[in-house]
Amino acid sequence: MPPQRTTGARGPQRPPRRDNNPVRRNSPVKTTRPEPRESGPQRIAKLLARAGVASRRDIERMIAEGRIALDGDVLTTPATLLEDLKGVTVDGKPVAPPAAARLWRFYKPAGCLTAAFDPKGRPTIYDRLPGGLPRVMPVGRLDFMTEGLLLLTNDGELKRQLELPSTAVVRRYRARAFGDVSQAQLEELSEGVEIEGIRYGSIDANLERRTGRNCWIELALTEGKNREVRRVLAHLGLQVSRLIRTSYGPFTMLDLDPGQVGEVQREELFRFRQTLKAPPVKK
């Protein structure tokens, strides 16, 4: 077998009060400023993620399953270093060069999964997305009944950058809940809380308004663990009846109706990436 190439070992924003807001179109604008790119050999998992094939973790799994090859030879390690993706195939198909990173805002409706496929046959976001989009990946997840802003991208590295806790991108939510809770209890969440052995980080929570035993609560957090908001509010004795993510970083869904998509302008995306904290270097 020919040798492989070199290897190396303060107050949250509120969503619209109306359900029929007019859509303001977000057309991409041209920009001549190039995005910064790393030079020299890079790990194949990173290159494939940049090309939008899958996340780094999924690519590592695909390599372990023998689905990725270089010049016809099946790769055995995600530490393979390459200058580009020439000669790389996934499931026998050549990989197209990475396109420029793009980002879309999608108002995910309640009642669909943030997944490509559900064995139980439940609808997914890909059943709700409008036609004409390239292959996109969700940034983080929203559970089945949670609605609101879900970012989508064609770039695996951008997806990873937005999801890493170390970049501290703030996610904002509004929750309608049933039960009794005080502002003092909500403010204690700023110190974090441990629930059934899982530690949840600081959450900025404010009681927006109350009607009888129903209330609206605004929350801001940076970790976004699985079902974090629902579990934390349940820990306080509240039953969440509606949960909406209103923003992710500077991006909001204020001009979108459920099921609609708007693309983030390239210049806006470039400026935002310049503000992100650099993730730790993987050795």
Side-chain angles (χ1 to χ4, degrees), residues 207-224:
L207 187 60
E208 180 188 339
R209 69 178 186 269
R210 183 191 300 280
T211 305
R213 296 196 65 195
N214 288 293
C215 61
W216 279 98
I217 300 171
E218 299 175 322
L219 307 99
L221 51 102
T222 59
E223 286 188 331

Side-chain angles (χ1 to χ4, degrees), residues 18-261:
R18 300 184 290 143
D19 291 332
N20 58 347
N21 288 354
V23 177
R24 304 179 188 92
R25 301 187 180 277
N26 288 317
S27 303
V29 297
K30 296 181 179 180
T31 175
T32 57
R33 184 186 300 179
E35 296 182 8
R37 299 296 176 91
E38 296 183 25
S39 60
Q42 300 177 50
R43 286 180 174 236
I44 189 171
K46 182 173 183 178
L47 289 174
L48 287 173
R50 272 284 298 117
V53 172
S55 67
R56 288 195 193 185
R57 182 176 300 177
D58 286 341
I59 289 167
E60 290 172 358
R61 175 180 52 79
M62 293 164 70
I63 290 174
E65 294 170 351
R67 297 170 55 189
I68 299 177
L70 173 63
D71 297 331
D73 300 323
V74 174
L75 295 179
T76 59
T77 172
T80 301
L81 299 178
L82 301 174
E83 293 279 356
D84 53 48
L85 292 173
K86 182 178 180 180
V88 175
T89 58
V90 176
D91 295 329
K93 299 178 181 178
V95 179
R102 297 169 69 184
L103 188 70
W104 290 264
R105 301 172 303 118
F106 171 55
Y107 190 143
K108 175 193 172 296
C112 62
L113 291 175
T114 308
F117 172 76
D118 179 47
K120 296 181 180 180
R122 291 173 295 179
T124 76
I125 59 171
Y126 295 97
D127 299 318
R128 299 288 191 260
L129 289 172
L133 290 177
R135 183 186 183 279
V136 293
M137 300 168 283
V139 175
R141 291 178 177 271
L142 293 176
D143 64 38
F144 188 71
M145 289 307 299
T146 300
E147 62 185 282
L149 181 66
L150 182 66
L151 297 180
L152 305 169
T153 182
N154 64 332
D155 189 300
E157 270 305 297
L158 175 57
K159 168 183 166 69
R160 176 176 177 270
Q161 190 177 28
L162 290 170
E163 292 175 343
L164 281 174
S166 60
T167 56
V169 180
V170 177
R171 293 85 152 157
R172 300 186 185 275
Y173 296 80
R174 293 182 74 234
R176 184 176 65 196
F178 176 81
D180 296 317
V181 70
S182 67
Q183 180 60 39
Q185 286 176 287
L186 294 175
E187 290 176 359
E188 290 177 357
L189 296 177
S190 64
E191 302 298 324
V193 62
E194 185 170 321
I195 304 172
E196 298 179 351
I198 300 176
R199 182 69 186 178
Y200 297 96
S202 175
I203 298 176
D204 180 9
N206 294 284
L207 187 60
E208 180 188 339
R209 69 178 186 269
R210 183 191 300 280
T211 305
R213 296 196 65 195
N214 288 293
C215 61
W216 279 98
I217 300 171
E218 299 175 322
L219 307 99
L221 51 102
T222 59
E223 286 188 331
K225 289 186 173 74
N226 185 37
R227 298 180 63 84
E228 179 170 352
V229 173
R230 294 183 185 272
R231 287 174 176 167
V232 168
L233 294 184
H235 179 71
L236 296 178
L238 298 173
Q239 181 179 350
V240 176
S241 58
R242 189 179 182 190
L243 182 58
I244 311 166
R245 182 155 68 194
T246 58
S247 68
Y248 198 115
F251 310 113
T252 73
M253 33 69 78
L254 294 182
D255 59 340
L256 300 175
D257 290 328
Q260 289 187 325
V261 171

